[in-house]
Amino acid sequence: MLENGKRVEAEGEEVSLRRRTPIQRSRAIRANKNLRASEREQARAWRDAVMRSTGGLSIISGLPAEEAHHVIPKGVLRRRGLSAHVWDARNGVPLTRREHERHTTRVEPLLLSILPAAAFDFATQHGLEWHVKKHYPTAEVTE
């Protein structure tokens, strides 16, 4: 049903008909709005476990972390039939929002040398060490 340019869901929740910008999509993803309730709880527990791994500090700067980053993306795991391992805390690292944004946009990717050993163990266990080597440079790129 349409009301004022918005589709109204059965539960009364309004959904905009406009296409979202990349920033709006990332905010929705960060807020876990696209997840089912059971998966939202898993995501929250995963984030908490990842944050505890460093005492809530970013692995790059040591500043208080605001976000948890999947070393091997959730989509890669799901496409390879590893959905049960999406919320494994070994596959996460805590970052500040700025660091996470800069990594995901490839402006300043995380270096291979700063990833924790647990992330390598996770990748090796699932045959995905190639992914880590491909997406995490060994040295800073200078232009």
Side-chain angles (χ1 to χ4, degrees):
M1 170 196 230
L2 289 175
E3 284 183 18
N4 297 330
K6 295 185 179 191
R7 186 176 70 221
V8 178
E9 299 286 321
E11 298 135 11
E13 183 179 331
E14 290 185 357
V15 178
S16 176
L17 296 178
R18 289 183 309 136
R19 293 182 63 109
R20 292 188 210 171
T21 67
I23 291 173
Q24 290 170 327
R25 282 194 301 275
S26 69
R27 285 182 184 150
I29 291 168
R30 257 199 293 284
N32 293 323
K33 292 179 182 177
N34 298 333
L35 299 178
R36 285 176 270 133
S38 62
E39 200 167 62
R40 208 173 299 132
E41 291 170 18
Q42 287 178 312
R44 195 171 295 123
W46 174 81
R47 181 188 180 284
D48 292 345
V50 169
M51 292 299 179
R52 278 193 304 272
S53 70
T54 62
L57 301 177
S58 164
I59 64 167
I60 296 175
S61 62
L63 295 171
E66 301 151 325
E67 298 181 357
H69 168 69
H70 279 86
V71 176
I72 307 289
K74 295 178 286 193
V76 170
L77 294 171
R78 288 184 174 129
R79 282 191 299 276
R80 299 195 179 299
L82 298 168
S83 294
H85 302 285
V86 166
W87 303 116
D88 187 325
R90 296 176 299 161
N91 186 35
V93 292
L95 301 172
T96 65
R97 183 168 285 126
R98 182 176 185 273
E99 293 163 351
H100 196 201
E101 184 71 26
R102 291 178 67 80
H103 171 73
T104 55
T105 58
R106 308 303 291 168
V107 169
E108 191 177 333
L110 298 177
L111 296 178
L112 189 64
S113 60
I114 66 168
L115 292 178
F120 289 109
D121 294 342
F122 177 84
T124 302
Q125 178 183 352
H126 298 293
L128 294 167
E129 60 275 355
W130 63 269
H131 188 279
V132 174
K133 291 176 183 172
K134 179 180 177 184
H135 293 281
Y136 296 88
T138 55
E140 288 190 49
V141 178
T142 57
E143 294 179 20

